[in-house]
Amino acid sequence: MLRLTDYEQEMLDGKYGKLKKKAIENIVKYANVLGAEELCEVTKAHVFAGAHSYLHAVESDDIEEVISEMQFCSKEKISMEKVGCFCQTDCGPMDPIKYKSMGCTEAEGIKNKEYLDYYSKFGIIKVGTCVPYLTGFIPLMGEHYVTSESHAVLIMNSLFGACGNADGLEAGYWSAICSRIPKWGNHIMENRKGTHLFNVDCKIKTKTDWDLLGYTIGRFLPTHSIPVVQGDLNSIDIIFLKYFYASMATTSGPEMCHIVGHTPEAKTLEEAFGGNEPLEIKTITKADLDCSRKLINDQSEGKIDYVSIGCPHLSIEEMQQVANFMKGKKVADGVVFHVWTAASIKALADMNGYTQIIEESGALVLTSSCPLTSEKKPEKAYRLAFDSCKQAHYIKSSTDAPVHYGEMEVCMQAAIDGEWRLI
Ligand code: F3S
């Protein structure tokens, strides 16, 4: 039986406006379905905002009508109200400035801006990234948050000890408005103990090793599980971990993943499992990683016309690496080479001269979106390459063209050569 505080009951009674009432009504229904006994206070919300194509389900040009129905499940039109917590936007459908270079029309660009400006009036900060933890959205141990990005849940729960579930796009908006979420799942500390043990029996040194390790663990992980990973993992780094968790969330759906000796709730193996025995123990070998690579890297070679890096969005350190590699080089004629990052990270890259170096090579630095979330997937490309398991995995299912996966440097070299070579 769900218990509400006086403030929550007042919201539900409509004392604080129509939208808060609608938002908490939805949260209460959600809590009842989950069997939650109370709600918890959300301090940060990361929402999927912009003129995304799924919003076309409501045939209307009236933004308030669309948002009421799609985000708040209300047939009655309700105006937005100030958000109840710190709130920033996830990846959108396009780069808000260079959208035409991605193949978006002027009308699509204007519509996207209208949505973002509308949300912004009510306190949702236009950030447009899937790496909110690199742009000021850093919930601490025990803090409750919501996010629409699957790997961000893993990072913020596992690395920061913060509390969130993979709630879905609409719940993010409800929480942003009423600053509440059902106290359920990872919001309860006892539920965060490991269930499955992965012993890593191979060298994990590079970003690509971590990316493939996450993808591989995900392939073996049953649903509703919490993996605990141990091995020689001393190369651990927040940038490597963004790939590790993004690829794990691609092949499975965990919301927590402990790394023994590194993540705060897994100082020891015993702590990671909370005294319980693992339900299953699996050893990950180099052969498993090689198998994952084969699954997402088409075993062919030849001329290439699309290369994309930056999934999850590149950090400033990675922008520097791209600039160092591309300096003085040229992208081959006929190759589109996209480099994706967050707008605030691009501002730093601009300031440091990295964007100029990258773009002088013929590559294009884009923000606030990616091939997967954008409206403009490279459908006409005849051969594509990505340096991220997540992007390669998903794009593979949306094209008949060969899709390749490889190290960032290998992808950049392919853009320069205009050719993908089998190693
Ligand atoms: Fe981010 Fe798009 Fe990858 S949202 S995690 S760059 S699929």
Side-chain angles (χ1 to χ4, degrees):
M1 175 75 180
L2 182 68
R3 295 183 304 276
L4 297 181
T5 63
D6 291 346
Y7 172 63
E8 289 159 358
Q9 187 60 53
E10 284 170 0
M11 260 197 280
L12 196 59
D13 294 339
K15 185 171 174 187
Y16 305 110
K18 262 190 178 182
L19 195 68
K20 270 200 166 55
K21 176 177 165 60
K22 188 69 201 170
I24 200 156
E25 267 174 19
N26 288 332
I27 289 287
V28 164
K29 276 189 209 160
Y30 185 25
N32 284 329
V33 168
L34 296 171
E37 292 179 359
E38 52 187 312
L39 306 181
C40 48
E41 187 178 348
V42 168
T43 48
K44 293 180 172 63
H46 178 227
V47 296
F48 202 60
H52 287 282
S53 61
Y54 77 100
L55 299 177
H56 299 160
V58 179
E59 289 172 6
S60 169
D61 284 332
D62 184 330
I63 286 185
E64 285 189 346
E65 210 169 283
V66 176
I67 292 174
S68 300
E69 185 161 348
M70 295 302 287
Q71 318 296 23
F72 293 94
C73 313
S74 169
K75 285 280 181 198
E76 184 199 351
K77 184 165 110 175
I78 315 175
S79 294
M80 272 293 283
E81 293 165 13
K82 281 268 177 239
V83 285
C85 64
F86 169 52
C87 186
Q88 60 171 251
T89 62
D90 196 346
C91 265
M94 64 191 78
D95 181 300
I97 299 163
K98 296 184 192 161
Y99 57 87
K100 284 189 187 162
S101 326
M102 298 172 53
C104 298
T105 63
E106 175 104 28
E108 287 169 332
I110 290 170
K111 181 56 90 187
N112 189 48
K113 184 173 181 324
E114 267 178 49
Y115 269 93
L116 293 176
D117 288 348
Y118 180 78
Y119 285 127
S120 161
K121 277 196 294 190
F122 301 98
I124 300 181
I125 305 169
K126 291 184 265 186
V127 178
T129 189
C130 53
V131 293
Y133 50 87
L134 297 182
T135 61
F137 187 107
I138 307 171
L140 299 181
M141 169 110 21
E143 197 175 335
H144 302 279
Y145 69 92
V146 289
T147 176
S148 45
E149 170 49 43
S150 56
H151 92 276
V153 176
L154 273 162
I155 290 251
M156 296 188 282
N157 286 352
S158 316
L159 281 193
F160 305 160
C163 305
N165 294 318
D167 291 298
L169 310 184
E170 298 78 11
Y173 278 94
W174 310 336
S175 294
I177 292 295
C178 70
S179 63
R180 293 294 185 276
I181 195 77
K183 191 168 182 186
W184 183 82
N186 295 304
H187 294 284
I188 300 170
M189 296 314 275
E190 303 85 74
N191 294 345
R192 299 158 62 99
K193 303 297 176 199
T195 58
H196 289 67
L197 177 60
F198 289 86
N199 288 313
V200 181
D201 189 22
C202 52
K203 283 201 172 73
I204 301 296
K205 296 272 179 228
T206 67
K207 185 183 94 173
T208 304
D209 293 340
W210 280 97
D211 197 15
L212 287 167
L213 178 63
Y215 194 84
T216 305
I217 290 174
R219 289 201 290 118
F220 295 115
L221 190 67
T223 45
H224 308 301
S225 311
I226 298 182
V228 176
V229 185
Q230 68 173 1
D232 179 5
L233 300 170
N234 289 322
S235 60
I236 197 162
D237 174 275
I238 179 95
I239 303 307
F240 293 173
L241 288 177
K242 81 181 158 83
Y243 293 91
F244 173 68
Y245 286 127
S247 57
M248 187 182 292
T250 300
T251 40
S252 61
E255 296 160 330
M256 278 296 287
C257 167
H258 303 289
I259 304 174
V260 178
H262 295 284
T263 53
E265 291 163 69
K267 287 184 277 307
T268 62
L269 190 62
E270 293 66 35
E271 186 187 30
F273 281 100
N276 302 323
E277 286 299 313
L279 297 176
E280 227 178 303
I281 301 176
K282 165 90 185 141
T283 299
I284 301 289
T285 63
K286 168 98 171 41
D288 295 320
L289 264 54
D290 291 344
C291 173
S292 291
R293 190 189 279 259
K294 276 207 173 121
L295 286 172
I296 43 172
N297 181 25
D298 192 277
Q299 297 300 295
S300 64
E301 57 185 7
K303 290 223 161 300
I304 197 162
D305 61 345
Y306 185 82
V307 178
S308 170
I309 61 173
C311 168
H313 280 170
L314 296 183
S315 66
I316 188 61
E317 182 186 351
E318 294 176 293
M319 291 298 285
Q320 183 190 44
Q321 289 161 4
V322 176
N324 287 344
F325 190 92
M326 295 306 292
K327 191 168 187 174
K329 297 179 183 147
K330 285 279 171 223
V331 171
D333 285 347
V335 176
V336 172
F337 178 21
H338 286 165
V339 178
W340 299 92
T341 188
S344 58
I345 295 171
K346 180 179 174 292
L348 287 174
D350 292 351
M351 197 168 84
N352 284 279
Y354 305 148
T355 308
Q356 190 180 343
I357 294 171
I358 296 168
E359 295 201 329
E360 275 172 2
S361 77
L364 190 61
V365 176
L366 294 164
T367 74
S368 315
S369 190
C370 74
L372 193 66
T373 47
S374 74
E375 307 291 296
K376 307 293 170 194
K377 293 185 183 70
E379 276 153 6
K380 289 192 185 129
Y382 55 78
R383 187 179 295 278
L384 309 89
F386 303 93
D387 72 332
S388 127
C389 290
K390 178 174 181 179
Q391 199 74 221
H393 174 99
Y394 285 118
I395 295 289
K396 204 165 137 50
S397 60
S398 67
T399 175
D400 292 332
V403 172
H404 296 290
Y405 166 79
E407 283 71 8
M408 189 165 82
E409 294 75 13
V410 171
C411 291
M412 290 192 284
Q413 194 60 51
I416 292 163
D417 298 340
E419 195 166 339
W420 184 269
R421 294 191 188 98
L422 273 178
I423 307 160

